[in-house]
PDB file of all heavy atoms in Angstrom:
ATOM      1  N   VAL A  16       3.273  36.387  45.977  1.00 61.00           N
ATOM      2  CA  VAL A  16       3.754  35.016  46.166  1.00 61.00           C
ATOM      3  C   VAL A  16       3.143  34.090  45.127  1.00 61.00           C
ATOM      4  O   VAL A  16       3.824  33.276  44.496  1.00 61.00           O
ATOM      5  CB  VAL A  16       3.405  34.520  47.590  1.00 61.00           C
ATOM      6  CG1 VAL A  16       3.651  33.025  47.713  1.00 61.00           C
ATOM      7  CG2 VAL A  16       4.234  35.260  48.619  1.00 61.00           C
ATOM      8  N   ILE A  17       1.829  34.212  44.940  1.00 57.00           N
ATOM      9  CA  ILE A  17       1.141  33.354  43.977  1.00 57.00           C
ATOM     10  C   ILE A  17       1.686  33.595  42.572  1.00 57.00           C
ATOM     11  O   ILE A  17       1.860  32.677  41.773  1.00 57.00           O
ATOM     12  CB  ILE A  17      -0.376  33.609  44.023  1.00 57.00           C
ATOM     13  CG1 ILE A  17      -0.927  33.170  45.388  1.00 57.00           C
ATOM     14  CG2 ILE A  17      -1.092  32.862  42.896  1.00 57.00           C
ATOM     15  CD1 ILE A  17      -2.371  33.528  45.612  1.00 57.00           C
ATOM     16  N   GLY A  18       1.967  34.851  42.269  1.00 55.00           N
ATOM     17  CA  GLY A  18       2.487  35.198  40.942  1.00 55.00           C
ATOM     18  C   GLY A  18       3.991  35.038  40.820  1.00 55.00           C
ATOM     19  O   GLY A  18       4.583  35.431  39.823  1.00 55.00           O
ATOM     20  N   ARG A  19       4.653  34.523  41.894  1.00 47.00           N
ATOM     21  CA  ARG A  19       6.101  34.319  41.907  1.00 47.00           C
ATOM     22  C   ARG A  19       6.855  35.617  41.624  1.00 47.00           C
ATOM     23  O   ARG A  19       7.866  35.631  40.926  1.00 47.00           O
ATOM     24  CB  ARG A  19       6.504  33.242  40.891  1.00 47.00           C
ATOM     25  CG  ARG A  19       5.879  31.891  41.168  1.00 47.00           C
ATOM     26  CD  ARG A  19       6.384  30.832  40.208  1.00 47.00           C
ATOM     27  NE  ARG A  19       5.740  29.561  40.452  1.00 47.00           N
ATOM     28  CZ  ARG A  19       6.097  28.692  41.392  1.00 47.00           C
ATOM     29  NH1 ARG A  19       7.115  28.953  42.176  1.00 47.00           N
ATOM     30  NH2 ARG A  19       5.450  27.547  41.550  1.00 47.00           N
ATOM     31  N   GLU A  20       6.335  36.693  42.209  1.00 45.00           N
ATOM     32  CA  GLU A  20       6.975  37.987  41.994  1.00 45.00           C
ATOM     33  C   GLU A  20       7.608  38.531  43.274  1.00 45.00           C
ATOM     34  O   GLU A  20       8.171  39.629  43.273  1.00 45.00           O
ATOM     35  CB  GLU A  20       5.961  38.998  41.459  1.00 45.00           C
ATOM     36  CG  GLU A  20       5.402  38.616  40.089  1.00 45.00           C
ATOM     37  CD  GLU A  20       4.320  39.570  39.648  1.00 45.00           C
ATOM     38  OE1 GLU A  20       4.010  40.510  40.412  1.00 45.00           O
ATOM     39  OE2 GLU A  20       3.786  39.371  38.548  1.00 45.00           O
ATOM     40  N   ALA A  21       7.492  37.761  44.362  1.00 52.00           N
ATOM     41  CA  ALA A  21       7.979  38.274  45.642  1.00 52.00           C
ATOM     42  C   ALA A  21       9.466  37.991  45.802  1.00 52.00           C
ATOM     43  O   ALA A  21       9.889  37.182  46.607  1.00 52.00           O
ATOM     44  CB  ALA A  21       7.200  37.634  46.793  1.00 52.00           C
ATOM     45  N   THR A  22      10.269  38.639  44.999  1.00 58.00           N
ATOM     46  CA  THR A  22      11.713  38.422  45.065  1.00 58.00           C
ATOM     47  C   THR A  22      12.350  39.194  46.209  1.00 58.00           C
ATOM     48  O   THR A  22      13.406  38.816  46.701  1.00 58.00           O
ATOM     49  CB  THR A  22      12.366  38.867  43.748  1.00 58.00           C
ATOM     50  OG1 THR A  22      12.043  40.240  43.505  1.00 58.00           O
ATOM     51  CG2 THR A  22      11.854  38.014  42.586  1.00 58.00           C
ATOM     52  N   GLN A  23      11.721  40.268  46.650  1.00 71.00           N
ATOM     53  CA  GLN A  23      12.283  41.081  47.723  1.00 71.00           C
ATOM     54  C   GLN A  23      11.144  41.589  48.601  1.00 71.00           C
ATOM     55  O   GLN A  23      10.427  42.508  48.224  1.00 71.00           O
ATOM     56  CB  GLN A  23      13.070  42.260  47.144  1.00 71.00           C
ATOM     57  CG  GLN A  23      13.891  43.020  48.168  1.00 71.00           C
ATOM     58  CD  GLN A  23      15.104  42.228  48.634  1.00 71.00           C
ATOM     59  OE1 GLN A  23      15.328  41.106  48.226  1.00 71.00           O
ATOM     60  NE2 GLN A  23      15.893  42.825  49.507  1.00 71.00           N
ATOM     61  N   PRO A  24      10.927  41.006  49.781  1.00 81.00           N
ATOM     62  CA  PRO A  24       9.836  41.440  50.664  1.00 81.00           C
ATOM     63  C   PRO A  24       9.936  42.924  50.992  1.00 81.00           C
ATOM     64  O   PRO A  24      11.036  43.478  51.105  1.00 81.00           O
ATOM     65  CB  PRO A  24      10.037  40.581  51.912  1.00 81.00           C
ATOM     66  CG  PRO A  24      10.808  39.398  51.446  1.00 81.00           C
ATOM     67  CD  PRO A  24      11.707  39.909  50.358  1.00 81.00           C
ATOM     68  N   SER A  25       8.788  43.547  51.149  1.00 81.00           N
ATOM     69  CA  SER A  25       8.756  44.974  51.459  1.00 81.00           C
ATOM     70  C   SER A  25       7.567  45.263  52.360  1.00 81.00           C
ATOM     71  O   SER A  25       6.736  44.400  52.629  1.00 81.00           O
ATOM     72  CB  SER A  25       8.664  45.803  50.168  1.00 81.00           C
ATOM     73  OG  SER A  25       7.461  45.478  49.474  1.00 81.00           O
ATOM     74  N   GLY A  26       7.490  46.497  52.827  1.00 85.00           N
ATOM     75  CA  GLY A  26       6.391  46.910  53.686  1.00 85.00           C
ATOM     76  C   GLY A  26       6.802  46.967  55.143  1.00 85.00           C
ATOM     77  O   GLY A  26       7.977  46.927  55.484  1.00 85.00           O
ATOM     78  N   LEU A  27       5.793  47.060  56.009  1.00 90.00           N
ATOM     79  CA  LEU A  27       6.014  47.198  57.452  1.00 90.00           C
ATOM     80  C   LEU A  27       5.900  45.844  58.129  1.00 90.00           C
ATOM     81  O   LEU A  27       4.924  45.115  57.929  1.00 90.00           O
ATOM     82  CB  LEU A  27       4.991  48.168  58.042  1.00 90.00           C
ATOM     83  CG  LEU A  27       5.067  48.408  59.554  1.00 90.00           C
ATOM     84  CD1 LEU A  27       6.380  49.063  59.935  1.00 90.00           C
ATOM     85  CD2 LEU A  27       3.877  49.253  60.018  1.00 90.00           C
ATOM     86  N   LEU A  28       6.883  45.504  58.949  1.00 92.00           N
ATOM     87  CA  LEU A  28       6.874  44.271  59.729  1.00 92.00           C
ATOM     88  C   LEU A  28       6.820  44.639  61.206  1.00 92.00           C
ATOM     89  O   LEU A  28       7.724  45.282  61.731  1.00 92.00           O
ATOM     90  CB  LEU A  28       8.123  43.438  59.445  1.00 92.00           C
ATOM     91  CG  LEU A  28       8.247  42.116  60.213  1.00 92.00           C
ATOM     92  CD1 LEU A  28       7.176  41.130  59.757  1.00 92.00           C
ATOM     93  CD2 LEU A  28       9.643  41.508  60.035  1.00 92.00           C
ATOM     94  N   ARG A  29       5.748  44.229  61.863  1.00 93.00           N
ATOM     95  CA  ARG A  29       5.581  44.521  63.296  1.00 93.00           C
ATOM     96  C   ARG A  29       5.989  43.296  64.103  1.00 93.00           C
ATOM     97  O   ARG A  29       5.447  42.204  63.899  1.00 93.00           O
ATOM     98  CB  ARG A  29       4.136  44.910  63.602  1.00 93.00           C
ATOM     99  CG  ARG A  29       3.706  46.230  62.965  1.00 93.00           C
ATOM    100  CD  ARG A  29       2.299  46.606  63.416  1.00 93.00           C
ATOM    101  NE  ARG A  29       1.921  47.925  62.953  1.00 93.00           N
ATOM    102  CZ  ARG A  29       1.233  48.152  61.846  1.00 93.00           C
ATOM    103  NH1 ARG A  29       0.861  47.137  61.080  1.00 93.00           N
ATOM    104  NH2 ARG A  29       0.917  49.379  61.494  1.00 93.00           N
ATOM    105  N   VAL A  30       6.918  43.499  65.039  1.00 94.00           N
ATOM    106  CA  VAL A  30       7.484  42.394  65.815  1.00 94.00           C
ATOM    107  C   VAL A  30       7.396  42.714  67.300  1.00 94.00           C
ATOM    108  O   VAL A  30       7.697  43.833  67.721  1.00 94.00           O
ATOM    109  CB  VAL A  30       8.964  42.147  65.433  1.00 94.00           C
ATOM    110  CG1 VAL A  30       9.520  40.954  66.206  1.00 94.00           C
ATOM    111  CG2 VAL A  30       9.098  41.925  63.933  1.00 94.00           C
ATOM    112  N   SER A  31       6.983  41.737  68.089  1.00 93.00           N
ATOM    113  CA  SER A  31       6.964  41.876  69.546  1.00 93.00           C
ATOM    114  C   SER A  31       8.044  40.971  70.129  1.00 93.00           C
ATOM    115  O   SER A  31       8.120  39.786  69.785  1.00 93.00           O
ATOM    116  CB  SER A  31       5.590  41.474  70.099  1.00 93.00           C
ATOM    117  OG  SER A  31       5.596  41.469  71.519  1.00 93.00           O
ATOM    118  N   VAL A  32       8.886  41.531  71.017  1.00 92.00           N
ATOM    119  CA  VAL A  32      10.030  40.805  71.562  1.00 92.00           C
ATOM    120  C   VAL A  32      10.131  41.089  73.062  1.00 92.00           C
ATOM    121  O   VAL A  32       9.961  42.238  73.482  1.00 92.00           O
ATOM    122  CB  VAL A  32      11.351  41.239  70.882  1.00 92.00           C
ATOM    123  CG1 VAL A  32      12.493  40.319  71.302  1.00 92.00           C
ATOM    124  CG2 VAL A  32      11.210  41.265  69.374  1.00 92.00           C
ATOM    125  N   PRO A  33      10.425  40.072  73.890  1.00 90.00           N
ATOM    126  CA  PRO A  33      10.664  40.344  75.313  1.00 90.00           C
ATOM    127  C   PRO A  33      11.785  41.362  75.500  1.00 90.00           C
ATOM    128  O   PRO A  33      12.766  41.362  74.743  1.00 90.00           O
ATOM    129  CB  PRO A  33      11.064  38.970  75.872  1.00 90.00           C
ATOM    130  CG  PRO A  33      10.430  37.987  74.942  1.00 90.00           C
ATOM    131  CD  PRO A  33      10.494  38.637  73.583  1.00 90.00           C
ATOM    132  N   LEU A  34      11.641  42.210  76.503  1.00 90.00           N
ATOM    133  CA  LEU A  34      12.536  43.357  76.677  1.00 90.00           C
ATOM    134  C   LEU A  34      14.011  42.968  76.755  1.00 90.00           C
ATOM    135  O   LEU A  34      14.832  43.425  75.958  1.00 90.00           O
ATOM    136  CB  LEU A  34      12.129  44.131  77.932  1.00 90.00           C
ATOM    137  CG  LEU A  34      13.015  45.306  78.334  1.00 90.00           C
ATOM    138  CD1 LEU A  34      13.062  46.348  77.226  1.00 90.00           C
ATOM    139  CD2 LEU A  34      12.521  45.935  79.627  1.00 90.00           C
ATOM    140  N   SER A  35      14.372  42.131  77.708  1.00 88.00           N
ATOM    141  CA  SER A  35      15.792  41.802  77.900  1.00 88.00           C
ATOM    142  C   SER A  35      16.360  41.051  76.702  1.00 88.00           C
ATOM    143  O   SER A  35      17.490  41.310  76.274  1.00 88.00           O
ATOM    144  CB  SER A  35      15.972  40.966  79.176  1.00 88.00           C
ATOM    145  OG  SER A  35      15.599  41.709  80.314  1.00 88.00           O
ATOM    146  N   TYR A  36      15.575  40.136  76.149  1.00 89.00           N
ATOM    147  CA  TYR A  36      16.046  39.378  74.987  1.00 89.00           C
ATOM    148  C   TYR A  36      16.220  40.301  73.783  1.00 89.00           C
ATOM    149  O   TYR A  36      17.177  40.176  73.016  1.00 89.00           O
ATOM    150  CB  TYR A  36      15.059  38.264  74.657  1.00 89.00           C
ATOM    151  CG  TYR A  36      15.598  37.266  73.665  1.00 89.00           C
ATOM    152  CD1 TYR A  36      16.534  36.309  74.049  1.00 89.00           C
ATOM    153  CD2 TYR A  36      15.179  37.280  72.337  1.00 89.00           C
ATOM    154  CE1 TYR A  36      17.033  35.391  73.140  1.00 89.00           C
ATOM    155  CE2 TYR A  36      15.675  36.370  71.424  1.00 89.00           C
ATOM    156  CZ  TYR A  36      16.599  35.423  71.836  1.00 89.00           C
ATOM    157  OH  TYR A  36      17.097  34.520  70.932  1.00 89.00           O
ATOM    158  N   GLY A  37      15.299  41.246  73.639  1.00 88.00           N
ATOM    159  CA  GLY A  37      15.406  42.183  72.526  1.00 88.00           C
ATOM    160  C   GLY A  37      16.646  43.045  72.616  1.00 88.00           C
ATOM    161  O   GLY A  37      17.343  43.260  71.622  1.00 88.00           O
ATOM    162  N   LEU A  38      16.931  43.538  73.817  1.00 88.00           N
ATOM    163  CA  LEU A  38      18.097  44.399  73.986  1.00 88.00           C
ATOM    164  C   LEU A  38      19.402  43.654  73.731  1.00 88.00           C
ATOM    165  O   LEU A  38      20.350  44.216  73.185  1.00 88.00           O
ATOM    166  CB  LEU A  38      18.110  44.994  75.399  1.00 88.00           C
ATOM    167  CG  LEU A  38      16.999  46.000  75.705  1.00 88.00           C
ATOM    168  CD1 LEU A  38      17.049  46.403  77.172  1.00 88.00           C
ATOM    169  CD2 LEU A  38      17.121  47.225  74.811  1.00 88.00           C
ATOM    170  N   ARG A  39      19.447  42.375  74.123  1.00 85.00           N
ATOM    171  CA  ARG A  39      20.690  41.624  73.962  1.00 85.00           C
ATOM    172  C   ARG A  39      20.811  40.972  72.582  1.00 85.00           C
ATOM    173  O   ARG A  39      21.753  41.229  71.847  1.00 85.00           O
ATOM    174  CB  ARG A  39      20.780  40.551  75.054  1.00 85.00           C
ATOM    175  CG  ARG A  39      21.175  41.117  76.387  1.00 85.00           C
ATOM    176  CD  ARG A  39      21.123  40.049  77.458  1.00 85.00           C
ATOM    177  NE  ARG A  39      21.701  40.550  78.702  1.00 85.00           N
ATOM    178  CZ  ARG A  39      21.072  41.388  79.517  1.00 85.00           C
ATOM    179  NH1 ARG A  39      19.868  41.805  79.225  1.00 85.00           N
ATOM    180  NH2 ARG A  39      21.664  41.819  80.617  1.00 85.00           N
TER     181      ARG A  39
END
């Protein structure tokens, strides 16, 4: 980001979501 090179994010993204909302 600092070097202005982050044109396409990559890597692992961990997300927590409520069960019913996630399914729908």
Side-chain angles (χ1 to χ4, degrees):
V16 169
I17 294 173
R19 299 184 182 278
E20 297 175 0
T22 57
Q23 190 72 358
S25 61
L27 179 64
L28 179 67
R29 294 185 173 95
V30 182
S31 174
V32 189
L34 176 60
S35 296
Y36 192 76
L38 292 174
R39 283 175 171 76

